[in-house]
Amino acid sequence: MSIQQRRERERAERERLIVTAARDLAEAEGWDAVTTRRLAAEIEYSQPVLYSHFKGKGAIMAAVAVQGCADLAVELRAARTAAKGTREALAAVGRAYADFARRRPALYDAMFTLATDLPFATSEAPAPLKEAFGELLAVVEPITADGEDTALLTETYWAGLHGLVTLMRSGRLPKRAHEERLALLIGHFAAGGE
Amino acid sequence: MSIQQRRERERAERERLIVTAARDLAEAEGWDAVTTRRLAAEIEYSQPVLYSHFKGKGAIMAAVAVQGCADLAVELRAARTAAKGTREALAAVGRAYADFARRRPALYDAMFTLATDLPFATSEAPAPLKEAFGELLAVVEPITADGEDTALLTETYWAGLHGLVTLMRSGRLPKRAHEERLALLIGHFAAGGE
DNA sequence: TCCTGTTGCTAGCAGTGCTAGAAATCGACG
DNA sequence: CGTCGATTTCTAGCACTGCTAGCAACAGGA
């Protein structure tokens, strides 16, 4: 019984090792550098070991993404609770979101741009994912106008943030004036539509 | 002299053939299906011929993207000129943009999501690209509030649209309520910030 | 000490983008 | 008309990818 438990513990430990190695490697050299061979070398095991833990490379990236969502949720919460008013909270969380994407681009990609089979918009979505979205929801709720749906408005605000960071990082928007664009987005949402 | 010209003509023709074959294949089966071998077979030439026209696969995708921008510009212009008022124009162009992304996902990816070395935010950007952005600019200009920069506001509006379509298509936003989210975005921009 | 079942490995498959060097083609000229 | 020379195009291959079949080594139990 105890032997079995120890083995499972070691196995879980190795699984964590894989995920963190993938994240570190991706953050250091980008996802293109994260090959199964390279990852196997990093954890000092052979390639097929990865497949005894995850269905494939995509599943490893999904695990990294979930972990990333937890990180993001923490940062968004910190920004939200530190802000004074409702409008300041909206702005602070928006800035924290953009800052997260700027500081950790590879992690952000795994979470929100690269193809994933992770359930997002359903009730089976992983908890960290819901938490991160919940932080956005919490700051959008107070600025929701009459007749507007808070959830939908949050999704729309999120989309605005996501568009800004992705277009900028792919070089499709100039890096300068990023702050101004962010302020415009926040301003237009805080002001209320219709 | 004439022989030289005919050769260049045929060469240009074949280059167009490559680009359209890449676009068609991508739209039919996705960019993953567009391999250099497959593309070569499609145009009935051998693989290395592609590299006598383009630096690599990325350059072919960039060419497809530029063509796609021209298509998008046409559709946005049609939506803009058909709309009555300034607010209606903003909404019509936004809807046309989202509709383009929905109808031609592979083309949209090549233009706005996949990595590209295309100059976007500079003055050397290809003309079709500037045209498409110009259409957005034209509908945002009238709704720009005092003290706001039209170009920056257009970029922000674009980012909002881009975020909505990409998050939805990757399954991160539910497909339902897409119209409502779009309406929220348009409403909040038309209303003016601050 | 032997047996058995699990675990992790080596080796390999089918595919990718890309390229060096051979082969074929075609216009120009004797 | 036939040959040469240059350009064009192809064959074959490299180094790499994600992934897997099947073998070896090692563990615990009898």
Side-chain angles (χ1 to χ4, degrees), chain B residues 2-18:
Chain B
S2 173
I3 288 173
Q4 197 79 0
Q5 286 183 343
R6 187 212 49 175
R7 284 200 164 175
E8 285 182 16
R9 207 171 47 234
E10 286 176 352
R11 218 186 132 70
E13 179 63 25
R14 195 173 60 183
E15 190 156 318
R16 268 187 38 210
L17 189 65
I18 292 172

Side-chain angles (χ1 to χ4, degrees), chain A residues 105-184:
Chain A
L107 197 51
Y108 189 89
D109 279 347
M111 292 158 63
F112 298 132
T113 64
L114 299 178
T116 181
D117 46 2
L118 225 57
F120 254 80
T122 74
S123 56
E124 299 103 47
L129 219 144
K130 291 181 182 174
E131 285 174 34
F133 186 77
E135 291 302 320
L136 283 177
L137 207 69
V139 293
V140 170
E141 197 277 328
I143 59 103
T144 308
D146 289 349
E148 285 182 346
D149 183 318
T150 296
L152 288 182
L153 189 61
T154 304
E155 290 173 352
T156 310
Y157 182 52
W158 174 31
L161 292 169
H162 176 72
L164 279 179
V165 301
T166 53
L167 287 178
M168 190 176 67
R169 211 157 55 63
S170 69
R172 284 161 173 111
L173 282 180
K175 283 225 190 315
R176 71 160 164 281
H178 167 61
E179 295 293 334
E180 287 92 323
R181 284 190 297 266
L182 197 53
L184 280 172

Side-chain angles (χ1 to χ4, degrees), chain A residues 25-93:
Chain A
L25 193 49
E27 298 211 273
E29 306 182 34
W31 281 108
D32 282 349
V34 183
T35 69
T36 55
R37 280 163 181 65
R38 182 84 184 276
L39 195 50
E42 210 75 30
I43 63 169
E44 295 178 312
Y45 278 93
S46 70
Q47 244 183 321
V49 166
L50 301 175
Y51 294 88
S52 76
H53 287 271
F54 299 94
K55 193 180 171 189
K57 190 184 172 184
I60 296 175
M61 293 172 67
V64 172
V66 170
Q67 203 183 63
C69 282
D71 291 7
L72 176 62
V74 168
E75 297 194 15
L76 294 188
R77 162 157 290 167
R80 178 171 64 82
T81 54
K84 306 282 180 185
T86 61
R87 197 212 155 102
E88 280 72 17
L90 181 77
V93 168

Side-chain angles (χ1 to χ4, degrees), chain B:
Chain B
M1 194 53 149
S2 173
I3 288 173
Q4 197 79 0
Q5 286 183 343
R6 187 212 49 175
R7 284 200 164 175
E8 285 182 16
R9 207 171 47 234
E10 286 176 352
R11 218 186 132 70
E13 179 63 25
R14 195 173 60 183
E15 190 156 318
R16 268 187 38 210
L17 189 65
I18 292 172
V19 176
T20 61
R23 177 170 51 76
D24 292 351
L25 192 50
E27 298 212 272
E29 306 182 33
W31 281 108
D32 282 349
V34 183
T35 69
T36 55
R37 281 162 180 64
R38 183 83 187 274
L39 195 49
E42 210 74 32
I43 64 168
E44 296 178 310
Y45 278 93
S46 72
Q47 245 184 319
V49 166
L50 301 175
Y51 294 88
S52 75
H53 287 271
F54 299 94
K55 193 180 171 189
K57 188 184 172 183
I60 297 175
M61 292 172 67
V64 171
V66 170
Q67 204 184 60
C69 282
D71 290 7
L72 176 62
V74 168
E75 296 195 15
L76 294 188
R77 163 156 290 166
R80 177 172 63 82
T81 54
K84 307 283 181 184
T86 60
R87 196 215 156 100
E88 280 73 17
L90 182 77
V93 168
R95 278 193 296 267
Y97 185 96
D99 203 52
F100 180 90
R102 183 186 56 77
R103 286 197 333 272
R104 315 185 73 175
L107 197 51
Y108 189 89
D109 278 347
M111 292 158 62
F112 299 131
T113 64
L114 300 177
T116 180
D117 46 2
L118 225 57
F120 254 81
T122 74
S123 56
E124 300 103 45
L129 219 143
K130 291 181 182 173
E131 285 174 35
F133 187 76
E135 291 302 320
L136 283 177
L137 206 69
V139 292
V140 170
E141 197 278 327
I143 59 104
T144 308
D146 289 349
E148 285 182 345
D149 183 317
T150 296
L152 288 182
L153 189 60
T154 304
E155 290 173 353
T156 310
Y157 182 51
W158 176 31
L161 292 170
H162 176 72
L164 280 179
V165 301
T166 53
L167 287 178
M168 191 176 67
R169 213 157 53 63
S170 70
R172 283 158 173 114
L173 283 180
K175 283 226 190 312
R176 71 161 165 280
H178 167 58
E179 295 293 334
E180 287 92 323
R181 284 190 297 265
L182 197 54
L184 280 172
L185 180 72
I186 293 164
H188 277 262
F189 270 83
E194 294 308 307

